[in-house]
Amino acid sequence: QVQLGESGGGLVQAGGSLRLSCAASSSGRPFRHYHVGWFRQAPGKEREFVAAITRDGAGKYYADSVKGRFTLSRSNPENMVYLQMNNLKPEDTAVYYCAATTVVISSLADLTRYHYWGQGTQVTVAS
């Protein structure tokens, strides 16, 4: 069982930056066994893939819409994953969720393959 909690959201002007954090606690497998993904959901839209990082931090995958602006990192000893978001745009406005999974890397963009989810953090980008 893994519990996840996001923080770092807020209101920022277009072109600004935010760093989201995902804190994990695990009562079963150690956190380092899990890949972690970030997803977002804007009002009236479906939840979509943003980025994912493999369990060892070596593999990082990004949606085309955020590539070059968002950067993932993780610290397994601290049970933390970070999403650095730069050059934010109004279309980045959404609730951002982190999620954990043990599925194969090729499925990391598929939200249905994630076992555990955080409660989400709101990111609002003003134009």
Side-chain angles (χ1 to χ4, degrees):
Q1 193 79 337
V2 178
Q3 293 184 323
L4 302 170
E6 304 91 339
S7 61
L11 173 64
V12 64
Q13 294 294 315
S17 299
L18 285 173
R19 188 176 80 154
L20 303 185
S21 300
C22 176
S25 63
S26 177
S27 59
R29 290 183 178 183
F31 179 62
R32 66 180 182 273
H33 286 209
Y34 292 88
H35 309 306
V36 174
W38 285 90
F39 295 81
R40 66 187 181 186
Q41 188 165 19
K45 294 188 177 181
E46 295 186 350
R47 194 170 298 189
E48 65 175 4
F49 171 75
V50 174
I53 187 167
T54 56
R55 56 173 63 96
D56 61 359
K60 300 174 186 179
Y61 308 92
Y62 300 93
D64 288 343
S65 59
V66 306
K67 205 170 290 183
R69 300 188 297 122
F70 290 12
T71 303
L72 278 166
S73 61
R74 71 186 289 166
S75 169
N76 284 338
E78 297 177 323
N79 287 355
M80 296 292 295
V81 173
Y82 303 99
L83 181 66
Q84 177 67 43
M85 306 187 297
N86 297 329
N87 191 20
L88 282 161
K89 304 176 180 180
E91 52 263 42
D92 294 318
T93 295
V95 177
Y96 283 71
Y97 301 89
C98 65
T101 183
T102 57
V103 297
V104 295
I105 291 173
S106 60
S107 296
L108 288 180
D110 183 353
L111 64 87
T112 67
R113 305 303 300 273
Y114 283 78
H115 314 303
Y116 306 103
W117 290 83
Q119 80 288 352
T121 186
Q122 176 70 47
V123 171
T124 303
V125 184
S127 57

